[in-house]
Amino acid sequence: MEIQQLTVKKQQPLIFKFCITDEDFRYYTRFSSKKVFTVFWESVYPSASRLVYWSKAQRTAEDTPSPQRKLPLIDEFFMFLCRVAAGLQEKTLSSIFEVSLSTVSRTILTWTSYLYQVLGSLPLWMTREQVQATMPDEFKRYCPQVRVIIDCTEIRCETASSLTLQSETFSNYKNHTTFKGLICIASCGIIAFVSKLYTGIEITRKSQMLQLLQPVDGVMADKGFQIEKILSEVGATLIIPPLKKSTQLSMEDTQRTQAVARLRILVERAIRRVKEYHTWDGLVPLSMVGSVNQLWVICCLMSNYQGPLDLNGDKTV
């Protein structure tokens, strides 16, 4: 089914004026091509066409109908992507789409809530059989028991006036207040778990990722992850580069260290993809606290549509 057939025929959607080539789609939407965008759009259109807009959802004692749609549905989605993926400001979007600022705000909030529900309902965690079936040869050679590769990342946010919240969110690594999140990827490079954003530490335990692990599962991480004890509670093991026991690593430990470093880089690339959604370019305002978790999950899960990562470089396979 052509995506043009799923839109309002009387009004040519702006997306087809801005996005002509695959490069255009990558710039404005972060989807890898028009084909991938089309597949995603056709999968969400049936439910998206029944959206209840944010402003109506807030009314509890009124029977006022939801505001009439001012844009083709596909352009509402395009507006959301222009804001989140391309980083265009709401004032700019108001001019481009020729709608009011309130319409822009309402549309983005509505699609944020909708996509969070839709993408969050997808089964991400891969079974052992799926992990083994998609595991690259290098993993099979050095770390055949690995279930996921994990890493934390930080998103800079505005500094709160509360001293308590300041101390909870302050990051020595970033020398700024941040929200912290945990990402787990399968060995094939697909994001398989996303935590909520947290202000403090002990994210691995708080994230409930441990509940998904099974005995003998291997969790690959950086040396900074001191989670061996909590992994042992569920029978899982920690895979990190070997620690130096003498002035020089053995040949075996050297090879293992190099292998783990090569394999771990996949999760760093996955996080970089998420950070390339330009909504994260500046400080997250405290006014976004109510929706930042939803946007974080959306960006993580939509980055999967760019395709699995390749061990040999930042390209899809």
Side-chain angles (χ1 to χ4, degrees):
M1 186 190 312
E2 290 294 327
I3 48 181
Q4 286 92 336
Q5 296 175 353
L6 300 175
T7 59
V8 180
K9 294 182 179 180
K10 294 181 180 180
Q11 183 178 354
Q12 175 67 12
L14 280 179
I15 186 172
F16 301 125
K17 298 179 181 179
F18 281 81
C19 297
I20 299 173
T21 66
D22 285 346
E23 184 178 355
D24 295 333
F25 274 92
R26 286 192 293 271
Y27 177 80
Y28 285 106
T29 73
R30 301 302 304 166
F31 284 98
S32 57
S33 66
K34 179 180 180 180
K35 180 180 179 180
V36 175
F37 174 88
T38 302
V39 170
F40 183 90
W41 173 246
E42 291 180 350
S43 69
V44 301
Y45 173 79
S47 57
S49 61
R50 300 190 297 272
L51 273 176
V52 176
Y53 287 81
W54 182 84
S55 58
K56 182 182 180 182
Q58 300 306 299
R59 301 187 184 106
T60 56
E62 299 179 22
D63 294 326
T64 307
S66 180
Q68 186 176 4
R69 181 173 293 134
K70 294 180 171 59
L71 296 169
L73 189 62
I74 197 171
D75 270 352
E76 292 187 356
F77 181 41
F78 182 47
M79 177 192 289
F80 170 85
L81 293 173
C82 284
R83 178 71 188 97
V84 175
L88 301 184
Q89 298 299 309
E90 291 191 4
K91 177 66 175 176
T92 303
L93 295 175
S94 174
S95 299
I96 291 174
F97 289 88
E98 298 182 348
V99 293
S100 66
L101 273 172
S102 61
T103 297
V104 173
S105 178
R106 180 175 65 243
T107 301
I108 291 171
L109 283 170
T110 298
W111 278 87
T112 297
S113 178
Y114 165 72
L115 289 170
Y116 176 74
Q117 295 294 329
V118 170
L119 295 174
S121 66
L122 297 176
L124 296 176
W125 191 258
M126 298 174 67
T127 66
R128 279 180 177 169
E129 292 73 22
Q130 290 171 328
V131 171
Q132 289 295 319
T134 57
M135 182 177 287
D137 291 338
E138 195 166 2
F139 275 92
K140 293 178 181 178
R141 187 180 309 123
Y142 292 103
C143 308
Q145 76 277 30
V146 69
R147 186 73 178 269
V148 286
I149 313 158
I150 70 172
D151 204 357
C152 285
T153 189
E154 299 184 79
I155 295 172
R156 288 159 56 95
C157 63
E158 281 186 342
T159 302
S161 57
S162 165
L163 295 178
T164 301
L165 189 55
Q166 281 184 37
S167 64
E168 289 179 350
T169 56
F170 187 79
S171 166
N172 291 320
Y173 179 71
K174 294 288 187 181
N175 195 31
H176 203 278
T177 50
T178 64
F179 296 128
K180 292 86 174 170
L182 176 75
I183 285 180
C184 303
I185 68 166
S187 57
C188 63
I190 291 294
I191 292 178
F193 178 84
V194 183
S195 78
K196 296 178 181 179
L197 292 174
Y198 296 94
T199 57
I201 57 175
E202 295 188 348
I203 297 175
T204 306
R205 185 183 291 277
K206 292 177 181 177
S207 70
Q208 300 182 339
M209 182 268 291
L210 296 174
Q211 299 176 12
L212 300 172
L213 294 172
Q214 296 173 287
V216 194
D217 280 345
V219 176
M220 183 178 288
D222 188 40
K223 291 180 181 179
F225 275 82
Q226 300 176 358
I227 57 174
E228 194 165 9
K229 183 177 179 181
I230 62 172
L231 289 178
S232 67
E233 295 173 5
V234 294
T237 58
L238 179 64
I239 303 172
I240 60 173
L243 299 175
K244 276 190 178 182
K245 298 178 182 177
S246 61
T247 56
Q248 187 172 352
L249 289 174
S250 67
M251 178 65 70
E252 182 181 350
D253 282 348
T254 299
Q255 291 176 343
R256 182 175 172 79
T257 297
Q258 292 173 346
V260 172
R262 284 197 304 273
L263 302 177
R264 266 203 74 260
I265 202 169
L266 281 180
V267 74
E268 296 175 4
R269 289 176 181 159
I271 289 173
R272 185 174 70 189
R273 277 185 174 182
V274 177
K275 294 289 188 71
E276 286 173 349
Y277 283 82
H278 291 290
T279 192
W280 310 118
D281 286 353
L283 296 180
V284 174
L286 294 179
S287 60
M288 278 182 58
V289 167
S291 60
V292 68
N293 261 311
Q294 294 180 329
L295 285 174
W296 160 250
V297 171
I298 290 169
C299 291
C300 288
L301 301 189
M302 286 184 64
S303 72
N304 277 341
Y305 288 87
Q306 296 179 36
L309 290 160
D310 179 22
L311 280 171
N312 298 318
D314 194 8
K315 60 183 180 181
T316 57
V317 295

